[in-house]
Each structure stands twice: as structure tokens, then as C-alpha cells.
Amino acid sequence: MNRSSQYRISGEFVAESTAGDLVKGPGLDADAGASIDSRTLRAGQVFFAIRGPRHDGHDHLAEAVARGAVGLVVERDRVGDALAASGPATDRVFVVRVEDTQRALAQVAAAWIRILVPRTLAVTGSVGKTTCKDLLAAAMGARFETLATRGNLNNLLGLPLTVLGLVPSHEAVVLEMGMNAPGEIEALCRIAPPDVGVVTTVAPVHLEGLGTLDAVARAKAELVRAVPASGVVVLNADDPRVLAMREVASARVVTFGRAPDADVRIVDVAVDASGRPTVTLSVHGRAIAVRPLLVGAHHATNIAAAMAAAVAADVPPQDAASAMAAVGPGRHRLEVVQAGPIRVIDDCYNASPRSVSAALEVLATIAVAGSRVAVLGDMLELGAATDTAHLEVGREAARTGVDTLIAVGRFADRVTVGARDAGMPATRCFQAPDAIAAATVALALVRPGDTVLVKGSRGVGLEHVVGA
């Protein structure tokens, strides 16, 4: 379908969507979406001045204009600053006054997606959602002009920015939906109502705020409830908490996984010496092989989820498989980096018990010339499960054949205790208080030919180890 209309995000549109006031610049519009960061703003964007816990976007209005902003959305007490920053000309920058700029960002995004009506696919889950989103976006792109969440802009600020990047030629949008508290996914679905909703897993993450796995499941199920009867819900048949969400679905349910009755069934997973998987799926009784540029057998679940959602959205299975073959890891997400004679498996973007287990399995199965070294940082936001989870990670490091363990952070002693309990020699267990110290330890221990897994929660900053 040719979608070539010329809808633009005008000052009038912003004002009408937010019940705000256009105080300057009638007839002006943006053609490059929106931004909330004056440092990365691109010419042609609207700048929403968000008040954050550490920074106030209203303090950077002049910078936004200097970088080419064509619109400023500000709160009432800063209109004077916006008028001054926009300069005397009335034909270059529009200014809209609103009560709350964060709420306004969501309102404009919601109005924009209602006008363009792309097919909307949303992905959530405790682990795997970013990779699943990337695979699904590639699969959808085989048939439709598709926009997808950049990186993991998956919250109440990031998702609206993705939506405001839509242009009329986009036929589909694939959105990642994250959450830290109940109600967040429901709010995201109000901005971008999904036609297809995918839930990958329920696992122990964000327990500090949510308390229990059942609470995590209830929060993830907000996506399932938001899919209308005319849509499709895609659920993991191997995860009991996810599969149970079919009880609250009003839409048709499609399942994926290893379960014999899964609609998209994982038949076989073969991993080569480099760790790259070939996943054979049964789709409507037909065998389809998918071999993306990813590392690890655990990606079979993400591949099956993306296939199930793409097929539900009318993409032929073989076209989806061919498109997914080009998908590689995101930055710091099981990204294999060759640092001279040392191979680094960079998985330091984030960590949970399940994702650490998957990363250790990759380290165990990949062919190595030297030793297997694991640099494991704290897993954050686990609440009451923190102590037990870090002990178990240490035990798993020992069980999977790690030769040298470097534990990093406040809970490093728990990890090394677990490793020693499971038989790892104390002489091969090391602790570091932070990422800088861990880099020093790693540089002293690692030898040419070694393979080093670097894995931890984002707050630990293990990218410093990768860089070293």
C-alpha cells in the first residue's frame, strides 16, 4: 500500500492534542519527530522540555534551538524563557505552552498514532524483550514498512519518542514495553494501543519494587488485557505464568515454545563452535530454520516468539526467517568482541538470574583456545531474593566450567561463596569492589586465547571492564 500523505507535527497539532496554547509560530511544523535531550536533538524536531530528577529541559531551550529545533513545548512558568530562546523571528520556531510537558509528550504521541494507524505490535517480558523486538521488527520489515523502538526506549518517555518518529509511509510499528511498577504497561498501551501483544517470560526481575513473581506476571499481563478482541496475543507456552495470561485475554491467543501443543514449536536447536544457533521451528506443520547472527541457544525462545507474532501479522514464515537471519546482538547484549588475542563476550547491559544463567551457558558451549573467564557483577533490584540469587550464580559458574571467576560489587562475596561451595578452587575466585578494580584484576589474570564473559546489571558499569 502506498502511504504518501504529508501529515506533519505542527504547533497547532501539539496545542490541540494537549489542550495547550500555541503562543508563537502558527503554520510551522516538524518533520523529524521529537526529542527530550538537547544534546542529541536533530534539526527538524520538536523539543519537549521535561523536568527530571536531575535535569530540567527548560534550562536547555537555547541549546535546542541552536541545534535546529523547530518547536518548543514548555510548561507555563517557562514560556518567557522559550520566547527568548526562540528568537525574534516568528517563522522559524513554534512555542506551545502546556501544564505538564511529560504528560503532553504522551498526549501528542497518542494523537499521532491514532492519525497514522500503523499496525502496532508490542513486546514485553522479564528477559528477552529487546532481542525479540529486534527479531520481530526484522520479520515485519520483510513485508511492511516498519518502525521499531530504538535501543530500549521502552518507558513513558522513550515509547512516545518512538511513536513520534512515525511517518505516513510506516505501515507497522514494533514497540518494546518495559516496566518497573504496576500500571506502567497499561499506561504505555493507552499511548499506543496494540494490535498484537507478545509476552516472552516472567522471571525474577524488579522484585525490589514488585515483591513477587506473581506481581511481575500481573504487571506484564496489562499488555494482554490491552489487546482488543480483533487482535492477537502471543504467549510463551513453556512459562506457566505467561501461559496463564490466556485467561485474561479477549483476543485470539497464539503460543510458542517447546511444548508439544505450541502453535509455533521449537523442534531443534543446534549451536555451532562460535555459539551461533540454528533454530528449527514448526509453523503450521512446516519446518522453518532460522539462523540469526546471535550467540546462544537460549535465543530459540525469542526467535519462536518473533515468528509467532510475525505470522499472526500476516508475514509469510519463510520471509520472516530470511529477515531474522540478518539480526545481530544489540550493544552490550552478548556481543562478541575480539580484543587482540582475547575474545570478550560483552553482555554488560543488564543482568537477572535467568539472563546470567543463559550467558554462562554461552561461555560453556562456545569453543575456546584458552581459559573461560567470567566477570560477574551484581544483579540489582532483586529485593529479598538478592542473597540467594547471587549464591546460585556462583554455583552455576562452577557447574558450567568457568576456569576463573571475578565477582564485582556489593554482593561479590555471595557469588564467590557459591562458586567455592560448588567446587571451584578458592585460588580461581576473585572479588572486586567496583568495575574499575575489576578491570585491573582482569587485565592481570587474562591471557592470550582466553574468552572473557562480562555480565552484570547496568548500574555496576562493567563496560569499563570491556573497554579495558
Side-chain angles (χ1 to χ4, degrees), residues 415-440:
V415 176
T416 54
V417 166
R420 293 196 300 270
D421 285 348
M424 184 177 288
T427 55
R428 306 310 300 165
C429 298
F430 301 86
Q431 295 181 31
D434 54 44
I436 301 299
T440 301

Side-chain angles (χ1 to χ4, degrees), residues 225-398:
R225 294 178 185 274
V227 179
S230 59
V232 180
V233 168
V234 180
L235 300 178
N236 187 343
D238 301 331
D239 187 319
R241 287 185 174 86
V242 175
L243 190 60
M245 295 177 193
R246 69 195 318 166
E247 301 303 322
V248 300
S250 59
R252 176 169 68 94
V253 173
V254 172
T255 59
F256 64 90
R258 291 177 171 80
D261 58 348
D263 296 305
V264 173
R265 185 165 58 89
I266 300 168
V267 176
D268 183 63
V269 182
V271 179
D272 66 17
S274 69
R276 185 177 172 188
T278 298
V279 179
T280 303
L281 303 173
S282 174
V283 185
H284 301 318
R286 178 184 173 194
I288 302 287
V290 186
R291 190 171 186 261
L293 301 170
L294 298 169
V295 174
H298 64 287
H299 284 303
T301 298
N302 299 324
I303 292 165
M307 177 65 76
V311 171
D314 302 321
V315 178
Q318 191 56 61
D319 292 353
S322 298
M324 285 193 277
V327 175
R331 184 80 169 124
H332 301 307
R333 297 176 186 273
L334 281 175
E335 183 181 17
V336 179
V337 181
Q338 196 67 39
I342 298 165
R343 180 170 54 183
V344 179
I345 304 174
D346 176 1
D347 198 23
C348 67
Y349 185 83
N350 218 332
S352 67
R354 189 172 295 185
S355 68
V356 174
S357 177
L360 286 169
E361 186 63 28
V362 169
L363 181 62
T365 55
I366 198 169
V368 300
S371 296
R372 292 180 168 88
V373 180
V375 182
L376 302 180
D378 287 344
M379 299 177 294
L380 304 179
E381 298 183 30
L382 293 181
T386 296
D387 192 74
T388 301
H390 285 86
L391 284 169
E392 181 55 32
V393 158
R395 295 186 190 106
E396 189 150 8

Side-chain angles (χ1 to χ4, degrees), residues 49-352:
I50 305 294
R51 298 184 195 268
R54 292 185 297 274
H55 302 286
D56 186 343
H58 294 90
D59 297 333
H60 303 281
L61 297 171
E63 297 167 42
V65 172
R67 290 187 65 90
V70 297
L72 301 174
V73 183
V74 299
E75 294 180 3
R76 291 188 177 277
D77 62 334
R78 302 298 292 270
V79 171
D81 296 328
L83 292 173
S86 64
T90 59
D91 61 350
R92 197 166 80 81
V93 180
F94 67 76
V95 175
V96 175
R97 175 177 57 209
V98 299
E99 294 294 335
D100 182 301
T101 48
Q102 182 168 336
R103 185 167 67 244
L105 177 64
Q107 290 170 326
V108 175
W112 188 237
I113 201 169
R114 281 198 304 270
I115 286 175
L116 297 184
V117 290
R119 189 172 299 208
T120 302
L121 299 90
V123 180
T124 195
S126 298
V127 294
K129 58 183 175 291
T130 298
T131 301
C132 180
K133 175 262 300 180
D134 291 341
L135 289 161
L136 179 54
M140 291 298 294
R143 181 166 182 184
F144 304 102
E145 185 70 24
T146 301
L147 178 71
T149 301
R150 299 189 309 277
N152 75 325
L153 292 176
N154 61 12
N155 59 18
L156 287 167
L157 293 175
L159 183 139
L161 293 176
T162 299
V163 168
L164 290 173
L166 285 164
V167 297
S169 61
H170 286 127
E171 299 168 283
V173 61
V174 179
L175 298 169
E176 180 179 331
M177 293 187 174
M179 65 89 196
N180 291 296
E184 290 185 6
I185 290 177
E186 182 182 2
L188 294 172
C189 291
R190 285 197 298 269
I191 297 169
D195 302 302
V196 177
V198 184
V199 184
T200 60
T201 54
V202 170
V205 297
H206 305 309
L207 291 181
E208 199 164 67
L210 289 161
T212 67
L213 278 174
D214 288 337
V216 174
R218 286 192 295 272
K220 297 297 184 186
E222 292 170 14
L223 172 57
V224 175
R225 294 178 185 274
V227 179
S230 59
V232 180
V233 168
V234 180
L235 300 178
N236 187 343
D238 301 331
D239 187 319
R241 287 185 174 86
V242 175
L243 190 60
M245 295 177 193
R246 69 195 318 166
E247 301 303 322
V248 300
S250 59
R252 176 169 68 94
V253 173
V254 172
T255 59
F256 64 90
R258 291 177 171 80
D261 58 348
D263 296 305
V264 173
R265 185 165 58 89
I266 300 168
V267 176
D268 183 63
V269 182
V271 179
D272 66 17
S274 69
R276 185 177 172 188
T278 298
V279 179
T280 303
L281 303 173
S282 174
V283 185
H284 301 318
R286 178 184 173 194
I288 302 287
V290 186
R291 190 171 186 261
L293 301 170
L294 298 169
V295 174
H298 64 287
H299 284 303
T301 298
N302 299 324
I303 292 165
M307 177 65 76
V311 171
D314 302 321
V315 178
Q318 191 56 61
D319 292 353
S322 298
M324 285 193 277
V327 175
R331 184 80 169 124
H332 301 307
R333 297 176 186 273
L334 281 175
E335 183 181 17
V336 179
V337 181
Q338 196 67 39
I342 298 165
R343 180 170 54 183
V344 179
I345 304 174
D346 176 1
D347 198 23
C348 67
Y349 185 83
N350 218 332
S352 67

